[in-house]
């Protein structure tokens, strides 16, 4: 059974960022301009970190040492909105979610963090926009 390494990708200033820590292992922190880039950087950093610990003779959980894990990424509301901006506008997201555009901007800049119900409205709105694109013939 593969272990799950849960990593949340956030937005800070002008970069995506993420981190993961495990007791006895330490922490891995990454930043990148793109979602794809940060995932690649994190996976490489995790492998490098574990390999270096093993070479140094440090104790590493077996599941981590043999790569018996899956990385589960989630996007913070800010990262989700920043990624969505590649395909649509805040105005469009505002119209479909019913959330004020200025408030969405605060979420996108991580100045405010939406409650779970508000986050779900954003996700549902992005899915609705996606369905509209998929309906184009």
């Amino acid at each position: 059974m593969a272990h799950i390494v849960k990593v949340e990708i956030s937005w800070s200033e002008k970069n995506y960022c993420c981190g993961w820590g495990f007791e006895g292992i330490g922490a891995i922190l990454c930043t990148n301009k793109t979602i794809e880039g940060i995932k690649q950087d994190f996976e490489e950093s995790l492998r490098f970190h574990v390999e270096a610990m093993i070479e140094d003779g440090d104790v590493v959980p077996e599941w981590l040492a043999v790569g018996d894990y899956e990385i589960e990424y989630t996007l913070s509301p800010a990262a989700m909105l920043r990624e969505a901006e590649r395909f649509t506008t805040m105005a469009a997201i505002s119209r479909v979610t019913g959330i004020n555009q200025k408030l969405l901007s605060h979420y996108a800049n991580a100045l405010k963090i939406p409650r779970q119900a508000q986050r779900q409205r954003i996700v549902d709105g992005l899915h609705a926009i996606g369905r509209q694109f998929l309906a184009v013939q």
Side-chain angles (χ1 to χ4, degrees):
M1 178 177 107
H3 286 75
I4 303 295
V5 174
K6 294 185 178 191
V7 178
E8 182 180 62
I9 298 173
S10 301
W11 178 262
S12 181
E13 299 290 321
K14 297 179 182 180
N15 290 301
Y16 293 100
C17 56
C18 71
W20 178 77
F22 194 80
E23 189 173 333
I25 299 299
I28 302 192
L29 304 170
C30 298
T31 64
N32 197 293
K33 295 283 185 197
T34 67
I35 295 285
E36 296 81 16
I38 198 162
K39 287 179 178 181
Q40 182 179 6
D41 288 352
F42 179 81
E43 291 163 18
E44 288 174 6
S45 295
L46 179 57
R47 276 192 305 276
F48 178 76
H49 186 73
V50 170
E51 288 170 3
M53 289 185 73
I54 292 169
E55 286 177 13
D56 290 346
D58 296 329
V59 176
V60 177
E62 182 69 17
W63 61 269
L64 195 55
V66 298
D68 185 26
Y69 59 85
E70 294 177 18
I71 301 172
E72 181 179 289
Y73 295 101
T74 58
L75 298 179
S76 73
M80 183 181 359
L81 288 166
R82 289 299 178 181
E83 181 67 4
E85 284 183 312
R86 292 179 45 207
F87 308 103
T88 190
T89 64
M90 284 296 170
I93 298 169
S94 176
R95 281 191 302 274
V96 76
T97 62
I99 300 171
N100 177 289
Q101 191 173 342
K102 186 172 182 172
L103 183 56
L104 282 173
S105 178
H106 285 295
Y107 293 156
N109 291 305
L111 299 174
K112 292 187 176 187
I113 299 171
R115 291 189 194 98
Q116 184 58 34
Q118 193 81 323
R119 182 188 191 283
Q120 191 59 50
R121 282 176 68 187
I122 296 168
V123 169
D124 292 344
L126 293 174
H127 288 179
I129 291 169
R131 283 191 299 277
Q132 291 296 316
F133 283 123
L134 289 171
V136 174
Q137 296 289 330

